Amino acid sequence: MTNLNLYGELARRNIEMTDRERLAVDAASGGAMTARQRMELLFDEGTFQEIDRFVTHRCTDFGMGKKQVPGDAVISGSGMINGRLVHAYAQDFKVMGGSFSEENTKKICKVLDKAMQLGTPFIGLNDSGGSRIQEGVYGLAGVAELFLKNTLASGLIPQISAIMGHCAGGASYSPALTDFIVMVEGQSHMFVTGPEVIRAVTHEEVSMEELGGASTHHQLSGVSHLLAADDKECIVLIRELLDYIPSNNLEESPSRKCFDDPRRREPLLNNFIPADSRTSYDVKALVRAVVDDGSFFEVQSGYAANLVIGFARLNGKSVGIVANQPAHLAGALDTNASRKGARFVRFCDAFNIPLVTLVDVPGFLPGKEQELDGIIRDGAKLLYAYCEATVPKISLITRKAYGGAYCVMSSKHIRGDYNFAYPGAEIAVMGPEAAVNIIYRRELAKQQDDTLRLQKLEEYRQRFANPYVAASRGYIDEIIMPEDTRWKLIMALSRLKTKMIKNPPKKHGNMPL
Ligand code: HXC
C-alpha cells in the first residue's frame, strides 16, 4: 500500500469510529483518559469542533514512512466552555508517545493563532515524550515556533496547560510560558532532563516522581499551580479557573449572579484577629468569610504558603486575592512568596482583574539564606508588579504592616486605590521590640532591669502600633470594623469600575527577573 492509500485507509477508519465508540473503547482499557476523552470532557457537551484531523507527519527517516497516523498524535480545535469559545489541543501519547513533530506543532500553532485572532483562551492538554526524535531539527523547529507563539500570546489571551502524562525535555518550556499549569497526581511528570540523563551526566539517582512528579512541582519547585487527583478533576479545575478570567486582555471576567447579600455583616470577624500580634490565624478563613458564598479558588496552595493567592468573587465580580498568611512563617515575605505573588499580580493586571490585598506582614524574612537567595531581587519583583499594576487595587491591613513589606503590599504610595485598616492595625518601620532595641541600644545597655525597655516599648506602641498615624496623612483611607469588610470591599470595587490609568508608553520595562 502506498503512503497515500495508507493515509486514506487510516483516515477512514478513524472517522468511522464515532466519538461514543471511541470513548467506550478507551474507558474499557482503563487508566488515564485518552486525548479524545479529555477534549470531550473539557468542552461543553457536543461543542468540540476538531480541525486538521487528516494531517500527518512528513518524516521518512528511521522507517517513519510506514508510521502515518491521521492527526499525527495531536487533536486540535475549538469548543465552548461555560458558553465561551476556547481553543485547545490534546496530545495523544498512544501515537508515537504524543511526540511533537514538525507537522503537529503546526496544528497547535494554528489553533493558537486562531485563539489570538479571535481573543479566546488557549488550553494545552500535554502528554508527550517531547520533540519527535526521528525528525531531528524539524521537530525542534516546530516546538521552537510554539514557544514564540506562547510568548506572543502572553498577556493577550489566557493560556492554561494541563500536564496529564509526560512533559519531557525542552518541550516543558511551552507550558512554562503559559499562565497556569495543572498537574495530575501520580500520573504527570515534567522535567527538562530525565532521570536517565541525570544518572549519565551527574551520577545522581533520582526517581521520575521525585524529579518531576505533580507533588514535587506543586510543593517544591512551584512550577505547578494546581494539583488534581485524576484527569477528570484536572479538567474540572481548568473549567473552574476559566470562569474567573476573561477571554482576552480587552475584556472583563464573566460576572456571575450573586446570591450572597453584598451587605452581609460578619460579627464573628470582630474577634477573629488575635489581639496578641504574635498569635497566628488562618487568613483563608477570613477570605472565605468575606467573599461570595465562601468560595475561594486558591492557586499554588502547596508552595510558599506564607502568601496566599487565588480568585474569588465579590458581588459576582471576579477579583484576585493576595494575602499574607500569618499561619506560615508569620506571613513574612521570602523569595518564593515574592515570586509567587509577583506573577499572580501581573496576571491579574494583564487581564483586568482587580486586586484585593490582605496585609498582615512582619516584613521580609530575615536571614543569611534569604539574602544569598536574592531576597532583594525577588522582593523587588513583587514591588515592581504592584507598582506597574493599573487595575483597581484595594488593600486591607488586618494587623501588622511593617517596613518595606508595608510599602510593597499595595500601599497608597504605589497607587493603592482604597487602603483600609482594622482598628488594631500596626503600621511602622518595624515591630516595637526590634525598634526599641535599635533606637535605645546605648541607654538600654546601661540598665540593670527591664523598666526602661518596657516604658519605651509602650511609648512606641502608643505612637505607631495603630493605624491612626497613617490615616492622619491619608495613607489609610478608612479604618473599618472587621464585620463590615465584605460590604466595604464591594463598595470600593464598584466605585473603581471605571478606573482608567496608564503607565508611560515604552517598549517594556526591565523587571528585576
Ligand atoms: C518519538 C517517542 C518519543 C519521542 C516516546 N516515544 N518519546 N517517539 N519521539 N520523543 C515513543 C516510544 O518510542 C514508544 O514508541 C512510545 O512513544 C511510548 O514510549 P515508552 O518509552 O514506551 O513509554 P514510557 O515507558 O511510558 O516512557 C515515556 C517517556 C519515554 C518517559 C516519555 O518515552 C522517554 O523518556 N521519552 C523521551 C523523553 C525525552 O528525553 N524527550 C526529550 C526529547 S528532546 P513504541 O513504538 O515503542 O510504542 C526535546 C527537546 C525539545 O524534547 C526542545 C525544544 C526546543
Side-chain angles (χ1 to χ4, degrees):
M1 201 182 279
T2 65
N3 270 354
L4 198 65
N5 287 340
L6 174 74
Y7 163 91
E9 174 59 23
L10 287 173
R12 250 191 313 281
R13 259 196 263 149
N14 212 37
I15 295 294
E16 277 162 13
M17 200 172 189
T18 65
D19 286 336
R20 191 174 292 276
E21 283 165 344
R22 201 183 308 278
L23 285 174
V25 169
D26 293 335
S29 60
M33 295 166 90
T34 65
R36 190 161 299 278
Q37 283 175 312
R38 289 167 180 165
M39 287 294 249
E40 290 295 333
L41 196 63
L42 177 67
F43 292 111
D44 299 346
E45 204 178 343
T47 64
F48 174 49
Q49 187 173 14
E50 187 176 354
I51 60 166
D52 290 339
R53 203 166 182 171
F54 298 113
V55 165
T56 55
H57 68 76
R58 293 195 273 173
C59 178
T60 49
D61 293 324
F62 305 101
M64 286 294 281
K66 293 192 191 115
K67 284 191 175 176
Q68 300 274 11
V69 178
D72 198 21
V74 168
I75 299 172
S76 60
S78 60
M80 311 303 275
I81 294 186
N82 290 328
R84 286 193 297 162
L85 185 64
V86 172
H87 287 81
Y89 73 91
Q91 291 170 320
D92 186 351
F93 191 78
K94 290 184 176 167
V95 181
M96 289 171 272
S99 50
F100 285 100
S101 69
E102 185 186 18
E103 293 304 315
N104 75 26
T105 32
K106 277 192 191 144
K107 283 177 62 171
I108 298 175
C109 289
K110 188 167 160 184
V111 278
L112 181 45
D113 277 340
K114 270 277 170 286
M116 283 198 269
Q117 287 160 12
L118 304 181
T120 81
F122 177 69
I123 295 170
L125 306 182
N126 295 268
D127 191 351
S128 162
S131 201
R132 189 165 296 161
I133 296 163
Q134 296 89 332
E135 288 199 2
V137 72
Y138 302 132
L140 292 180
V143 187
E145 195 187 327
L146 178 58
F147 296 161
L148 174 68
K149 304 262 179 201
N150 285 136
T151 306
L152 298 179
S154 177
L156 198 69
I157 52 169
Q159 300 180 82
I160 301 172
S161 302
I163 313 299
M164 305 183 89
H166 298 292
C167 184
S172 53
Y173 285 116
S174 172
L177 289 167
T178 65
D179 299 301
F180 296 99
I181 294 179
V182 193
M183 290 185 76
V184 181
E185 229 167 333
Q187 184 177 305
S188 54
H189 299 104
M190 210 181 167
F191 43 76
V192 175
T193 43
E196 280 172 38
V197 178
I198 291 180
R199 191 181 307 120
V201 177
T202 69
H203 308 293
E204 230 180 320
E205 284 294 339
V206 59
S207 72
M208 205 180 276
E209 196 58 34
E210 213 184 325
L211 189 68
S215 300
T216 298
H217 284 310
H218 193 62
Q219 287 160 17
L220 302 178
S221 73
V223 165
S224 155
H225 298 85
L226 295 162
L227 188 64
D230 53 25
D231 280 6
K232 225 175 190 172
E233 193 188 15
C234 178
I235 284 166
V236 169
L237 282 173
I238 294 172
R239 289 178 58 98
E240 225 178 310
L241 170 61
L242 266 184
D243 216 33
Y244 289 101
I245 57 188
S247 291
N248 58 61
N249 66 333
L250 300 178
E251 290 185 8
E252 303 280 317
S253 300
S255 285
R256 295 285 171 242
K257 197 167 167 45
C258 177
F259 297 99
D260 193 353
D261 181 4
R263 290 173 185 265
R264 173 170 55 80
R265 280 207 156 92
E266 283 296 337
L268 286 178
L269 285 184
N270 291 335
N271 298 314
F272 177 74
I273 311 285
D276 179 354
S277 66
R278 286 161 302 187
T279 307
S280 72
Y281 61 92
D282 180 4
V283 77
K284 290 186 223 173
L286 174 60
V287 173
R288 289 199 183 94
V290 166
V291 300
D292 293 358
D293 306 309
S295 173
F296 176 48
F297 188 89
E298 192 180 354
V299 175
Q300 280 186 301
S301 62
Y303 182 73
N306 39 332
L307 192 77
V308 172
I309 57 170
F311 299 100
R313 287 185 189 283
L314 281 166
N315 202 20
K317 304 262 185 282
S318 177
V319 290
I321 305 271
V322 181
N324 306 115
Q325 172 61 288
H328 192 86
L329 291 180
L333 289 170
D334 62 355
T335 50
N336 293 346
S338 300
R339 287 197 311 275
K340 170 179 168 179
R343 187 152 170 77
F344 184 70
V345 167
R346 294 198 100 213
F347 175 83
C348 291
D349 188 46
F351 290 104
N352 314 313
I353 301 172
L355 286 161
V356 174
T357 305
L358 302 183
V359 187
D360 189 348
V361 61
F364 284 96
L365 187 67
K368 181 179 162 194
E369 198 184 311
Q370 282 295 306
E371 295 292 341
L372 298 189
D373 264 4
I375 185 66
I376 295 176
R377 181 191 55 239
D378 288 345
K381 289 188 175 95
L382 184 59
L383 181 56
Y384 192 104
Y386 266 118
C387 285
E388 74 170 352
T390 56
V391 283
K393 292 190 282 195
I394 301 168
S395 80
L396 166 63
I397 301 177
T398 59
R399 198 166 55 173
K400 292 184 286 259
Y402 293 159
Y406 155 75
C407 305
V408 171
M409 297 298 292
S410 200
S411 67
K412 181 60 80 196
H413 324 289
I414 58 172
R415 300 192 294 188
D417 294 299
Y418 275 95
N419 297 86
F420 297 117
Y422 286 162
E426 303 172 11
I427 305 167
V429 175
M430 58 182 73
E433 306 278 347
V436 165
N437 283 342
I438 291 174
I439 310 174
Y440 300 106
R441 183 180 295 141
R442 279 198 201 88
E443 291 90 326
L444 292 176
K446 294 178 200 148
Q447 302 298 310
Q448 305 296 322
D449 62 22
D450 245 9
T451 318
L452 182 68
R453 203 177 67 83
L454 293 175
Q455 180 200 327
K456 293 299 177 193
L457 272 178
E458 192 46 37
E459 264 176 33
Y460 187 90
R461 272 198 199 103
Q462 289 288 331
R463 177 74 183 125
F464 288 118
N466 65 69
Y468 299 101
V469 178
S472 74
R473 290 286 175 96
Y475 301 157
I476 293 296
D477 296 297
E478 195 178 351
I479 296 168
I480 64 170
M481 286 305 289
E483 65 178 356
D484 296 328
T485 307
R486 174 172 166 79
W487 177 230
K488 292 288 180 185
L489 293 180
I490 287 174
M491 269 205 298
L493 269 177
S494 77
R495 276 161 180 64
L496 293 169
K497 244 186 344 212
T498 52
K499 180 181 176 184
M500 181 79 84
I501 60 165
K502 280 193 162 58
N503 291 329
K506 53 188 158 184
K507 187 173 177 189
H508 59 69
N510 188 13
M511 191 182 194
L513 293 173

